[in-house]
Coordinates of all heavy atoms in Angstrom, one line a residue:
M1 N 72.0 185.8 107.0 CA 73.4 186.2 106.5 C 73.3 187.6 105.9 O 72.5 187.9 105.1 CB 73.8 185.2 105.4 CG 75.2 185.3 105.0 SD 75.7 184.2 103.7 CE 75.9 182.7 104.6
T2 N 74.3 188.4 106.4 CA 74.3 189.8 105.9 C 74.9 189.9 104.5 O 75.6 188.9 104.0 CB 75.1 190.7 106.9 OG1 76.5 190.2 106.8 CG2 74.6 190.6 108.3
D3 N 74.7 191.0 103.9 CA 75.3 191.2 102.6 C 76.8 191.1 102.6 O 77.4 190.6 101.7 CB 74.9 192.6 102.0 CG 73.4 192.6 101.6 OD1 72.8 191.5 101.4 OD2 72.9 193.7 101.4
K4 N 77.4 191.7 103.7 CA 78.9 191.7 103.8 C 79.4 190.2 103.9 O 80.4 189.8 103.3 CB 79.3 192.5 105.0 CG 80.8 192.7 105.0 CD 81.1 193.7 106.1 CE 82.6 194.0 106.0 NZ 83.0 195.0 106.9
E5 N 78.7 189.4 104.7 CA 79.1 188.0 104.8 C 78.9 187.2 103.5 O 79.8 186.4 103.2 CB 78.3 187.3 105.9 CG 78.6 187.8 107.3 CD 77.6 187.2 108.4 OE1 76.5 186.7 108.0 OE2 78.0 187.3 109.6
Q6 N 77.8 187.5 102.8 CA 77.6 186.9 101.6 C 78.6 187.3 100.5 O 79.1 186.4 99.8 CB 76.2 187.2 101.1 CG 75.7 186.3 100.0 CD 74.2 186.6 99.7 OE1 73.6 187.5 100.1 NE2 73.6 185.7 98.9
I7 N 79.0 188.5 100.5 CA 80.1 189.0 99.6 C 81.4 188.3 99.9 O 82.1 187.9 99.0 CB 80.2 190.5 99.6 CG1 78.9 191.2 99.0 CG2 81.4 191.0 98.9 CD1 78.9 192.7 99.1
T8 N 81.7 188.2 101.2 CA 83.0 187.6 101.6 C 83.0 186.1 101.2 O 84.0 185.6 100.7 CB 83.1 187.7 103.1 OG1 83.1 189.1 103.5 CG2 84.5 187.1 103.6
R9 N 81.8 185.5 101.4 CA 81.7 184.1 101.0 C 81.9 183.9 99.5 O 82.6 183.0 99.0 CB 80.4 183.5 101.4 CG 80.2 182.0 101.3 CD 78.9 181.5 101.8 NE 78.3 180.7 100.8 CZ 77.2 180.9 100.3 NH1 76.4 181.8 100.7 NH2 76.7 180.0 99.3
H10 N 81.3 184.8 98.7 CA 81.4 184.7 97.2 C 82.9 185.0 96.8 O 83.4 184.4 95.9 CB 80.5 185.7 96.6 CG 79.0 185.3 96.6 ND1 78.6 184.1 96.1 CD2 77.9 185.9 97.0 CE1 77.3 184.0 96.3 NE2 76.8 185.1 96.8
E11 N 83.5 186.0 97.5 CA 84.9 186.3 97.1 C 85.8 185.1 97.4 O 86.7 184.7 96.7 CB 85.4 187.5 97.9 CG 84.8 188.8 97.4 CD 85.2 190.0 98.3 OE1 85.7 189.8 99.4 OE2 85.0 191.1 97.8
R12 N 85.5 184.4 98.6 CA 86.3 183.2 98.9 C 86.1 182.1 97.9 O 87.0 181.4 97.4 CB 85.9 182.7 100.3 CG 86.8 181.6 100.8 CD 86.6 181.2 102.3 NE 85.2 180.8 102.5 CZ 84.3 181.4 103.3 NH1 84.6 182.5 103.9 NH2 83.0 181.0 103.4
E13 N 84.8 181.9 97.5 CA 84.5 180.9 96.4 C 85.2 181.2 95.1 O 85.7 180.3 94.4 CB 83.0 180.7 96.3 CG 82.4 180.0 97.5 CD 80.8 180.0 97.3 OE1 80.3 180.6 96.4 OE2 80.2 179.4 98.2
I14 N 85.2 182.5 94.8 CA 85.8 182.9 93.5 C 87.3 182.7 93.6 O 88.0 182.2 92.7 CB 85.5 184.4 93.2 CG1 84.1 184.6 92.8 CG2 86.5 185.0 92.2 CD1 83.6 186.0 92.8
G15 N 87.9 182.9 94.8 CA 89.3 182.7 95.0 C 89.7 181.2 94.9 O 90.7 180.8 94.2
E16 N 88.8 180.4 95.4 CA 89.0 178.9 95.3 C 88.9 178.5 93.9 O 89.7 177.6 93.4 CB 88.0 178.2 96.2 CG 88.2 178.3 97.7 CD 87.1 177.7 98.5 OE1 86.2 177.1 97.9 OE2 87.1 177.8 99.7
L17 N 88.0 179.0 93.1 CA 87.8 178.6 91.7 C 89.0 179.1 90.9 O 89.5 178.4 90.0 CB 86.5 179.2 91.2 CG 85.2 178.6 91.6 CD1 84.0 179.4 91.2 CD2 85.1 177.1 91.2
R18 N 89.5 180.3 91.2 CA 90.7 180.8 90.5 C 91.9 179.8 90.8 O 92.7 179.5 89.9 CB 91.0 182.2 90.9 CG 90.2 183.2 90.3 CD 90.7 184.6 90.7 NE 89.8 185.6 90.0 CZ 89.7 186.8 90.4 NH1 90.4 187.3 91.4 NH2 89.0 187.7 89.7
G19 N 92.0 179.4 92.0 CA 93.1 178.5 92.4 C 93.0 177.2 91.6 O 94.0 176.6 91.1
K20 N 91.8 176.7 91.5 CA 91.6 175.4 90.8 C 91.9 175.6 89.3 O 92.5 174.7 88.6 CB 90.2 174.9 91.0 CG 89.9 174.4 92.4 CD 88.5 173.9 92.5 CE 88.3 173.4 93.9 NZ 86.9 173.0 94.2
L21 N 91.5 176.7 88.7 CA 91.7 177.0 87.3 C 93.2 177.1 87.0 O 93.7 176.6 86.0 CB 91.0 178.3 86.8 CG 89.5 178.1 86.6 CD1 88.9 179.5 86.4 CD2 89.2 177.2 85.5
D22 N 93.9 177.8 88.0 CA 95.4 177.9 87.8 C 96.1 176.6 87.9 O 97.0 176.3 87.1 CB 96.0 178.9 88.9 CG 95.6 180.3 88.7 OD1 95.2 180.7 87.6 OD2 95.8 181.1 89.7
A23 N 95.6 175.7 88.8 CA 96.2 174.4 88.9 C 95.9 173.6 87.6 O 96.8 172.9 87.1 CB 95.6 173.7 90.1
L24 N 94.7 173.7 87.1 CA 94.4 173.0 85.8 C 95.3 173.5 84.7 O 95.8 172.7 83.9 CB 92.9 173.1 85.5 CG 92.0 172.3 86.3 CD1 90.5 172.7 85.9 CD2 92.2 170.8 86.1
A25 N 95.4 174.8 84.6 CA 96.3 175.4 83.5 C 97.7 174.9 83.7 O 98.4 174.6 82.7 CB 96.2 176.9 83.6
T26 N 98.2 174.9 84.9 CA 99.6 174.4 85.2 C 99.7 172.9 84.8 O 100.7 172.6 84.1 CB 99.9 174.6 86.6 OG1 99.8 176.0 87.0 CG2 101.3 174.2 86.9
K27 N 98.7 172.1 85.1 CA 98.8 170.7 84.7 C 98.9 170.5 83.2 O 99.6 169.7 82.7 CB 97.6 169.9 85.3 CG 97.6 169.6 86.7 CD 96.4 168.8 87.1 CE 96.3 168.5 88.6 NZ 95.1 167.8 89.0
E28 N 98.0 171.3 82.5 CA 98.0 171.2 81.0 C 99.3 171.7 80.5 O 99.8 171.0 79.5 CB 96.8 172.0 80.5 CG 96.6 171.8 79.0 CD 96.4 170.3 78.6 OE1 95.7 169.6 79.4 OE2 96.8 169.9 77.5
F29 N 99.9 172.7 81.0 CA 101.2 173.2 80.5 C 102.2 172.2 80.7 O 103.0 171.9 79.8 CB 101.5 174.5 81.3 CG 102.9 175.0 81.0 CD1 103.2 175.6 79.7 CD2 103.9 174.9 81.9 CE1 104.4 176.1 79.4 CE2 105.2 175.3 81.6 CZ 105.5 175.9 80.4
V30 N 102.3 171.6 81.9 CA 103.3 170.6 82.2 C 103.1 169.4 81.3 O 104.1 168.9 80.8 CB 103.2 170.2 83.7 CG1 104.0 168.9 84.0 CG2 103.6 171.3 84.6
R31 N 101.9 169.0 81.1 CA 101.6 167.9 80.2 C 102.1 168.2 78.8 O 102.8 167.3 78.1 CB 100.1 167.6 80.1 CG 99.7 166.4 80.8 CD 98.2 166.0 80.5 NE 97.7 165.6 81.7 CZ 96.6 166.1 82.3 NH1 95.9 167.0 81.8 NH2 96.2 165.6 83.5
T32 N 101.9 169.4 78.3 CA 102.3 169.8 77.0 C 103.9 169.7 76.9 O 104.4 169.2 75.9 CB 101.8 171.2 76.6 OG1 100.4 171.2 76.7 CG2 102.2 171.6 75.2
V33 N 104.5 170.3 77.9 CA 106.0 170.3 77.9 C 106.6 168.9 77.9 O 107.5 168.6 77.2 CB 106.5 171.2 79.1 CG1 108.0 171.1 79.2 CG2 106.1 172.7 78.8
V34 N 106.0 168.1 78.8 CA 106.5 166.7 78.9 C 106.3 166.0 77.6 O 107.2 165.2 77.2 CB 105.8 166.0 80.1 CG1 106.0 164.5 80.1 CG2 106.2 166.6 81.4
N35 N 105.2 166.1 77.0 CA 104.9 165.5 75.7 C 105.9 165.9 74.6 O 106.4 165.1 73.8 CB 103.5 165.7 75.2 CG 102.5 164.9 76.0 OD1 102.8 163.9 76.6 ND2 101.2 165.3 76.0
E36 N 106.2 167.2 74.6 CA 107.1 167.7 73.6 C 108.5 167.2 73.9 O 109.2 166.8 72.9 CB 107.2 169.3 73.6 CG 105.9 169.9 73.1 CD 105.9 171.4 73.2 OE1 107.0 172.0 73.7 OE2 104.9 172.1 72.9
Q37 N 108.9 167.2 75.1 CA 110.3 166.7 75.5 C 110.4 165.2 75.2 O 111.4 164.7 74.7 CB 110.6 167.0 76.9 CG 110.8 168.4 77.2 CD 111.1 168.7 78.7 OE1 110.8 167.9 79.5 NE2 111.6 169.9 79.0
T38 N 109.3 164.5 75.5 CA 109.3 163.0 75.2 C 109.4 162.8 73.7 O 110.2 161.9 73.2 CB 108.0 162.4 75.7 OG1 107.9 162.6 77.1 CG2 108.0 160.9 75.4
R39 N 108.7 163.6 72.9 CA 108.8 163.4 71.4 C 110.2 163.7 70.9 O 110.8 163.0 70.1 CB 107.8 164.4 70.8 CG 107.6 164.1 69.3 CD 106.5 165.0 68.7 NE 105.3 165.1 69.5 CZ 104.8 166.2 70.2 NH1 105.5 167.3 70.1 NH2 103.7 166.2 70.9
E40 N 110.8 164.8 71.5 CA 112.2 165.1 71.0 C 113.2 164.1 71.4 O 114.1 163.7 70.6 CB 112.6 166.5 71.7 CG 111.9 167.7 71.1 CD 112.1 169.0 71.8 OE1 113.0 168.9 72.8 OE2 111.5 170.0 71.5
L41 N 113.1 163.6 72.7 CA 114.0 162.5 73.1 C 113.8 161.2 72.3 O 114.8 160.6 71.9 CB 113.8 162.2 74.6 CG 114.3 163.2 75.6 CD1 113.9 162.9 77.0 CD2 115.8 163.3 75.5
T42 N 112.6 160.9 72.0 CA 112.3 159.7 71.1 C 113.0 159.9 69.8 O 113.6 158.9 69.3 CB 110.8 159.5 71.0 OG1 110.2 159.3 72.3 CG2 110.5 158.3 70.2
Q43 N 112.9 161.0 69.2 CA 113.5 161.3 67.9 C 115.0 161.1 68.0 O 115.6 160.5 67.1 CB 113.1 162.6 67.3 CG 111.7 162.7 66.9 CD 111.3 164.2 66.5 OE1 112.0 165.1 66.7 NE2 110.1 164.3 65.9
E44 N 115.6 161.7 69.0 CA 117.1 161.6 69.2 C 117.5 160.2 69.4 O 118.5 159.7 68.8 CB 117.5 162.5 70.4 CG 117.5 163.9 70.1 CD 117.9 164.7 71.3 OE1 118.7 164.2 72.1 OE2 117.4 165.9 71.5
L45 N 116.7 159.4 70.2 CA 117.1 158.0 70.4 C 116.9 157.2 69.2 O 117.8 156.3 68.9 CB 116.2 157.4 71.5 CG 116.5 157.9 73.0 CD1 115.5 157.3 73.9 CD2 117.9 157.4 73.4
N46 N 115.9 157.5 68.4 CA 115.7 156.8 67.1 C 116.9 157.0 66.2 O 117.3 156.1 65.5 CB 114.4 157.2 66.5 CG 113.2 156.5 67.1 OD1 113.3 155.5 67.8 ND2 112.0 157.1 66.9
K47 N 117.4 158.2 66.1 CA 118.5 158.6 65.3 C 119.8 157.8 65.8 O 120.5 157.2 64.9 CB 118.9 160.0 65.3 CG 117.9 160.9 64.6 CD 118.2 162.4 64.7 CE 117.2 163.3 64.1 NZ 117.5 164.7 64.3
K48 N 120.0 157.7 67.1 CA 121.1 157.0 67.6 C 121.0 155.5 67.3 O 122.0 154.8 67.0 CB 121.3 157.3 69.1 CG 121.6 158.7 69.4 CD 122.3 158.9 70.7 CE 122.5 160.4 70.9 NZ 123.8 160.9 70.5
F49 N 119.8 155.0 67.5 CA 119.6 153.5 67.3 C 119.8 153.2 65.8 O 120.3 152.2 65.4 CB 118.2 153.1 67.7 CG 118.1 152.9 69.2 CD1 117.0 153.4 69.9 CD2 119.0 152.1 69.9 CE1 116.9 153.2 71.3 CE2 118.9 152.0 71.3 CZ 117.9 152.5 72.0
D50 N 119.3 154.1 64.9 CA 119.6 153.9 63.5 C 121.0 153.9 63.2 O 121.5 153.1 62.4 CB 118.9 155.0 62.7 CG 117.3 154.9 62.7 OD1 116.8 153.8 63.0 OD2 116.7 155.9 62.3
S51 N 121.8 154.8 63.8 CA 123.2 154.8 63.6 C 123.9 153.5 64.1 O 124.7 152.9 63.4 CB 123.8 156.0 64.4 OG 125.2 156.0 64.3
I52 N 123.5 153.0 65.3 CA 124.0 151.8 65.8 C 123.6 150.6 64.9 O 124.5 149.8 64.6 CB 123.5 151.6 67.3 CG1 124.1 152.6 68.2 CG2 123.8 150.1 67.7 CD1 123.5 152.6 69.6
E53 N 122.4 150.6 64.4 CA 122.0 149.5 63.5 C 122.8 149.5 62.2 O 123.2 148.5 61.8 CB 120.5 149.7 63.2 CG 119.9 148.6 62.4 CD 118.4 148.9 62.1 OE1 117.8 149.7 62.7 OE2 117.9 148.2 61.2
Q54 N 123.1 150.7 61.7 CA 123.9 150.8 60.5 C 125.3 150.3 60.8 O 125.9 149.6 59.9 CB 123.9 152.2 60.0 CG 124.7 152.4 58.7 CD 124.1 151.6 57.5 OE1 122.9 151.5 57.4 NE2 124.9 150.9 56.7
S55 N 125.9 150.6 61.9 CA 127.2 150.2 62.3 C 127.3 148.7 62.4 O 128.2 148.0 61.9 CB 127.7 150.8 63.6 OG 127.8 152.2 63.5
L56 N 126.2 148.1 63.0 CA 126.2 146.6 63.2 C 126.0 145.9 61.8 O 126.6 144.9 61.6 CB 125.0 146.2 64.1 CG 125.2 146.5 65.6 CD1 123.9 146.2 66.3 CD2 126.4 145.8 66.1
K57 N 125.3 146.6 60.9 CA 125.1 146.0 59.6 C 126.5 146.0 58.8 O 126.8 145.1 58.1 CB 124.1 146.8 58.8 CG 123.8 146.2 57.4 CD 122.7 147.0 56.7 CE 122.4 146.5 55.4 NZ 123.5 146.3 54.5
D58 N 127.2 147.1 59.0 CA 128.5 147.2 58.3 C 129.5 146.2 58.9 O 130.2 145.5 58.1 CB 129.1 148.6 58.5 CG 128.4 149.7 57.8 OD1 127.6 149.4 56.9 OD2 128.6 150.9 58.2
I59 N 129.5 146.0 60.2 CA 130.3 145.0 60.8 C 129.9 143.6 60.3 O 130.8 142.7 59.9 CB 130.2 145.0 62.3 CG1 130.9 146.3 62.8 CG2 130.8 143.8 63.0 CD1 130.6 146.6 64.3
S60 N 128.6 143.3 60.2 CA 128.2 142.0 59.7 C 128.6 141.8 58.2 O 129.0 140.7 57.9 CB 126.6 141.9 59.8 OG 126.2 140.7 59.3
D61 N 128.5 142.8 57.4 CA 128.9 142.7 56.0 C 130.4 142.4 55.9 O 130.8 141.6 55.1 CB 128.6 144.0 55.3 CG 127.1 144.2 55.1 OD1 126.3 143.3 55.2 OD2 126.7 145.4 54.7
R62 N 131.2 143.1 56.7 CA 132.6 142.8 56.7 C 132.9 141.4 57.2 O 133.8 140.7 56.6 CB 133.4 143.8 57.7 CG 133.5 145.2 57.1 CD 134.4 146.0 58.0 NE 134.1 147.4 57.8 CZ 134.1 148.3 58.7 NH1 134.4 147.9 60.0 NH2 133.8 149.5 58.5
Q63 N 132.2 141.0 58.2 CA 132.4 139.6 58.7 C 132.1 138.6 57.6 O 132.8 137.6 57.4 CB 131.5 139.4 59.9 CG 131.7 138.0 60.5 CD 130.7 137.8 61.7 OE1 129.7 138.5 61.8 NE2 130.9 136.8 62.5
Q64 N 131.0 138.8 56.9 CA 130.7 137.9 55.8 C 131.7 137.9 54.7 O 132.0 136.8 54.1 CB 129.3 138.3 55.2 CG 128.1 138.0 56.1 CD 128.0 136.6 56.5 OE1 128.2 135.7 55.6 NE2 127.7 136.3 57.7
R65 N 132.3 139.1 54.4 CA 133.4 139.1 53.4 C 134.6 138.3 53.8 O 135.1 137.5 53.1 CB 133.7 140.6 53.1 CG 132.9 141.2 52.0 CD 133.4 142.5 51.6 NE 132.7 143.5 52.4 CZ 133.2 144.5 53.0 NH1 134.4 144.8 53.0 NH2 132.4 145.4 53.7
F66 N 135.0 138.5 55.1 CA 136.2 137.8 55.6 C 135.9 136.3 55.7 O 136.8 135.5 55.4 CB 136.6 138.3 57.0 CG 137.2 139.7 56.9 CD1 136.8 140.7 57.8 CD2 138.2 140.0 56.0 CE1 137.4 141.9 57.8 CE2 138.8 141.2 56.0 CZ 138.4 142.2 56.8
K67 N 134.7 136.0 56.0 CA 134.3 134.5 56.0 C 134.4 133.9 54.6 O 134.9 132.8 54.5 CB 132.9 134.4 56.6 CG 132.4 133.0 56.8 CD 131.0 133.0 57.4 CE 130.6 131.6 57.7 NZ 129.2 131.5 58.2
G68 N 134.0 134.7 53.6 CA 134.1 134.2 52.3 C 135.5 134.1 51.8 O 135.9 133.1 51.1
I69 N 136.3 135.0 52.2 CA 137.7 135.0 51.9 C 138.4 133.8 52.5 O 139.2 133.0 51.9 CB 138.5 136.3 52.3 CG1 138.0 137.4 51.4 CG2 140.0 136.1 52.2 CD1 138.5 138.8 51.8
G70 N 138.0 133.5 53.8 CA 138.6 132.4 54.5 C 138.2 131.1 53.9 O 139.0 130.1 53.8
Q71 N 136.9 131.0 53.5 CA 136.5 129.8 52.8 C 137.2 129.5 51.5 O 137.6 128.4 51.2 CB 135.0 129.8 52.6 CG 134.2 129.6 53.9 CD 132.7 129.8 53.7 OE1 132.2 130.3 52.6 NE2 131.9 129.3 54.7
A72 N 137.4 130.6 50.8 CA 138.1 130.5 49.5 C 139.5 130.0 49.7 O 140.0 129.2 49.0 CB 138.1 131.8 48.7
I73 N 140.1 130.6 50.7 CA 141.5 130.2 51.0 C 141.6 128.7 51.5 O 142.4 127.9 51.0 CB 142.2 131.1 52.0 CG1 142.4 132.5 51.4 CG2 143.5 130.5 52.6 CD1 142.9 133.5 52.4
S74 N 140.6 128.3 52.3 CA 140.7 127.0 52.9 C 140.4 125.9 51.8 O 140.9 124.8 51.8 CB 139.7 126.8 54.0 OG 138.4 127.0 53.6
F75 N 139.6 126.3 50.8 CA 139.3 125.3 49.7 C 140.3 125.4 48.6 O 140.6 124.4 48.0 CB 137.9 125.5 49.2 CG 136.8 125.1 50.1 CD1 135.8 126.0 50.6 CD2 136.7 123.8 50.5 CE1 134.8 125.6 51.4 CE2 135.7 123.4 51.3 CZ 134.8 124.3 51.8
G76 N 140.8 126.6 48.4 CA 141.8 126.8 47.3 C 143.2 126.5 47.6 O 144.0 126.1 46.7
L77 N 143.6 126.5 48.9 CA 144.9 126.3 49.3 C 145.4 124.8 49.0 O 146.4 124.6 48.4 CB 145.1 126.6 50.8 CG 146.6 126.6 51.3 CD1 147.4 127.6 50.5 CD2 146.6 127.0 52.7
P78 N 144.6 123.8 49.3 CA 145.0 122.4 49.0 C 145.1 122.2 47.5 O 146.0 121.5 47.0 CB 143.8 121.6 49.6 CG 143.2 122.4 50.6 CD 143.4 123.8 50.2
F79 N 144.2 122.8 46.7 CA 144.3 122.7 45.3 C 145.6 123.3 44.8 O 146.4 122.8 43.9 CB 143.1 123.4 44.6 CG 143.2 123.4 43.1 CD1 143.0 122.3 42.4 CD2 143.6 124.6 42.4 CE1 143.1 122.3 41.0 CE2 143.7 124.6 41.1 CZ 143.4 123.5 40.3
L80 N 146.0 124.5 45.3 CA 147.2 125.2 44.9 C 148.5 124.4 45.3 O 149.4 124.3 44.5 CB 147.3 126.6 45.6 CG 148.5 127.5 45.3 CD1 148.5 127.8 43.8 CD2 148.5 128.7 46.1
V81 N 148.4 123.8 46.5 CA 149.6 123.0 46.9 C 149.7 121.8 46.0 O 150.8 121.4 45.6 CB 149.4 122.6 48.4 CG1 150.4 121.5 48.8 CG2 149.5 123.8 49.3
S82 N 148.6 121.1 45.7 CA 148.6 120.0 44.8 C 149.1 120.4 43.4 O 149.9 119.6 42.8 CB 147.2 119.4 44.6 OG 146.8 118.9 45.9
A83 N 148.7 121.5 42.9 CA 149.1 122.0 41.6 C 150.6 122.3 41.6 O 151.4 121.9 40.7 CB 148.4 123.2 41.2
L84 N 151.1 122.9 42.7 CA 152.6 123.2 42.8 C 153.4 121.9 42.9 O 154.5 121.8 42.3 CB 152.8 124.1 44.0 CG 152.4 125.6 43.8 CD1 152.6 126.3 45.1 CD2 153.1 126.3 42.7
A85 N 152.9 121.0 43.6 CA 153.6 119.7 43.7 C 153.6 119.0 42.4 O 154.7 118.4 42.0 CB 152.9 118.8 44.8
L86 N 152.5 119.0 41.6 CA 152.5 118.4 40.3 C 153.5 119.1 39.4 O 154.2 118.4 38.6 CB 151.1 118.4 39.8 CG 150.8 117.8 38.4 CD1 151.1 116.2 38.6 CD2 149.4 118.0 38.0
V87 N 153.5 120.4 39.4 CA 154.4 121.2 38.6 C 155.9 120.8 39.0 O 156.7 120.6 38.1 CB 154.2 122.7 38.7 CG1 155.3 123.5 38.0 CG2 152.8 123.0 38.0
A88 N 156.2 120.7 40.2 CA 157.5 120.4 40.7 C 157.9 119.0 40.2 O 159.0 118.8 39.8 CB 157.6 120.5 42.2
V89 N 157.0 118.0 40.3 CA 157.3 116.7 39.8 C 157.5 116.7 38.3 O 158.4 116.0 37.8 CB 156.1 115.7 40.2 CG1 156.2 114.4 39.5 CG2 156.1 115.5 41.7
L90 N 156.7 117.4 37.6 CA 156.8 117.5 36.1 C 158.1 118.2 35.7 O 158.7 117.9 34.6 CB 155.6 118.1 35.5 CG 154.3 117.3 35.6 CD1 153.2 118.2 35.0 CD2 154.4 116.0 34.8
L91 N 158.6 119.2 36.4 CA 159.8 119.9 36.1 C 161.1 119.2 36.4 O 162.1 119.5 36.0 CB 159.8 121.3 36.7 CG 158.7 122.3 36.2 CD1 158.8 123.6 37.0 CD2 159.0 122.6 34.7
K92 N 161.0 118.1 37.2 CA 162.2 117.4 37.6 C 162.7 116.6 36.5 O 162.5 116.0 35.6 CB 161.8 116.4 38.7 CG 162.3 116.9 40.0 CD 162.1 115.9 41.1 CE 162.7 116.2 42.3 NZ 162.6 115.3 43.4

């Protein structure tokens, strides 16, 4: 093998190695960007889920209050009607 052929072979190998290094650098860059974007999206989704969770808790609290009011009315209304009937009888 002549010196010129050997130099050409080495240049080709160096070119192949550069290509592989560029590909590895690109893969690492893409991995880094994807990880950052995933982290940002996860944070945004967590904020939205927290907001939804708070809204559901508020709705549940209101529902419990209305349920309590309904129970108070359903138990208190017969007593009120009986008391009014008794007062009406006594005032006659």
Side-chain angles (χ1 to χ4, degrees):
M1 188 182 282
T2 65
D3 286 342
K4 189 172 185 176
E5 290 173 342
Q6 194 170 12
I7 290 173
T8 304
R9 190 174 130 239
H10 286 306
E11 287 175 347
R12 187 175 57 247
E13 288 175 355
I14 289 171
E16 289 174 4
L17 288 173
R18 281 184 179 161
K20 288 179 181 180
L21 286 173
D22 287 344
L24 285 173
T26 302
K27 282 182 184 178
E28 187 59 36
F29 173 75
V30 169
R31 255 190 219 123
T32 303
V33 169
V34 167
N35 285 337
E36 288 174 8
Q37 289 176 344
T38 303
R39 192 174 315 113
E40 289 172 6
L41 285 173
T42 301
Q43 288 173 350
E44 287 179 30
L45 284 174
N46 284 340
K47 287 178 186 176
K48 295 203 185 267
F49 283 132
D50 289 344
S51 173
I52 291 170
E53 184 178 347
Q54 183 61 41
S55 296
L56 289 174
K57 185 179 179 305
D58 292 343
I59 290 169
S60 177
D61 290 346
R62 284 189 206 141
Q63 181 184 17
Q64 289 299 320
R65 272 188 265 135
F66 288 133
K67 187 177 179 182
I69 291 170
Q71 287 175 346
I73 290 172
S74 66
F75 288 119
L77 192 59
F79 175 75
L80 181 62
V81 169
S82 298
L84 288 174
L86 183 63
V87 169
V89 168
L90 290 176
L91 289 178
K92 259 187 171 181

